[in-house]
Amino acid sequence: MNLESYPPLFSELSKSSNQQEYLSSDHHQKVDTIDSIIIKPVVQDSDPIPVIDLQSLSLDELGEACKDWGLFRLVNHGVPPSLLSQLQDHAKTLYSLSFQSKQALFTTPTSYFWGTPALTPSGAPLSRGPQKINWVEGFNIPISQLSQLQPQHPVLASFRLLLEDYGKHLARLAKTIFEAMAMKLKLDEEQSKSNLSESTGNIRVYRYPSCSIPDTAWGIDVHTDSSVLSILYECEVGGLEVLRDDEWFQVKPICNALIVNLGDMMQAISNDNYKSVKHRVKLNKHKERISICYFVFPDEDSVIRSSNYKPFTYNDFRAQVQEDIKTHGFKLGLESFKLY
C-alpha cells in the first residue's frame, strides 16, 4: 500500500492500531441497521442479481428487474473489453500518484475528492463532519467539459481520450435503456424526452483502500443515487452490496459486464413503479478497489410530475439534497417531495 498516494487521514488509519481506535469509537455507522429497520446478514452464497442482455432486450425482464431490484447486470452492451481494461489500468496509475499531485491535476471543471461522495454542483466535497468519513477517494469528471481537462500528466492525456470514448458508449446505453423503460411504463414520449439529458452525463472514478477491519467501516455508507440511471464498471475486487426486502446481497464483480442501478429520479419518473435501490460499498481486507461509474440526470429545469410527488425539477431536488446533508448529515431524498 503506497501511503503517500492516499489522503492523509487514510494513511494514518492504515495502521492497524489506529484503525481499531478510530473504528471502535462513535465515528462509524452501525452496519446492520437502516431507517430503524433490522437488516438480515449479507447473503453471500448466491448471485441472484438479474441479468439483462442488450442484444435480445426483453421489456418484461427489464421491467421485473427495475421493479423488484432497481438494479441489474448488463451484458452484450457493446463496450469494448479493451476500453474497460485500459480505463482500469489508467485509473490505477493516476491513483498511484501522490495525494498532492492528484489535487493539482484534477481542478475545475473536474475535481478530486475524498472522505465523502457528496459533492456540490461545482464538484467540491460537502462537509458532513468527522463521524461521517467514508473510506473513498475519487475523480469527478463532467463529460461535457472533458475538453477542458488539461493534460498536465502523460497518463491524464490518454485517460481523457479514453473517457471521451467511454462517455459516448455510456450515453448510448443510457438512452437505449431509458427508452425501453419508458416504453414499458407507457410514459408520454414528449414529456420523457427531457427526463434524461445526455449533457448531464458525469463520470466518477472511485478508489477504496483496503482496511484491516472492514466490517466496521464503509467505503460508501448506505445511500441511493440521485440520478436517473447509474452505470458501474468494476472488475476483480467486489464490495458493492444492495438491499432488497430487508436483505443485503453482494454484487459479485464480473469483468466486462456492467451494473445498472436506478436512481431517485427514475423512481419518481416511474411513479414509484421502479425503485431507487439502496446500496453501499464494503471495504476489502487485503485489496484496494477501483470502480468507474457513469451518472445521468434529467434536464436541470425539466419538471418531473407524478401522482406521488409534488412537481419538482432536478435543480430543486439537488438543492434540497445539499441542504439535507448540511443540516442532517445525510440525504432525505424523495421523502422531501412526497405527497401524503
Side-chain angles (χ1 to χ4, degrees), residues 1-16 19 95-96 135 137 207-212 283-289:
M1 185 180 190
N2 177 14
L3 297 184
E4 289 186 357
S5 73
Y6 282 97
L9 180 60
F10 296 171
S11 299
E12 287 297 318
L13 295 179
S14 65
K15 300 175 183 179
S16 179
Q19 283 185 11
Y95 274 123
S96 70
W135 281 45
E137 60 178 325
R207 179 170 74 158
Y208 306 88
S210 59
C211 177
S212 63
L283 299 171
N284 188 284
K285 186 174 184 178
H286 304 290
K287 297 179 180 179
E288 69 177 24
R289 174 180 182 261

Side-chain angles (χ1 to χ4, degrees), residues 149-219:
L149 181 59
Q150 298 301 317
Q152 302 173 45
H153 188 282
V155 175
L156 192 56
S158 52
F159 192 52
R160 184 179 72 179
L161 295 175
L162 292 171
L163 287 172
E164 287 175 350
D165 192 13
Y166 190 61
K168 292 174 184 175
H169 280 288
L170 272 289
R172 166 183 58 83
L173 293 179
K175 185 174 184 290
T176 301
I177 294 166
F178 180 75
E179 287 178 349
M181 290 191 297
M183 187 179 301
K184 177 63 179 175
L185 291 164
K186 297 181 172 58
L187 299 180
D188 178 82
E189 186 175 345
E190 282 303 311
Q191 184 178 339
S192 65
K193 280 182 180 178
S194 62
N195 285 339
L196 185 119
S197 174
E198 182 179 335
S199 65
T200 66
N202 195 79
I203 291 177
R204 288 192 187 176
V205 184
Y206 298 103
R207 179 170 74 158
Y208 306 88
S210 59
C211 177
S212 63
I213 40 178
D215 290 335
T216 50
W218 292 108

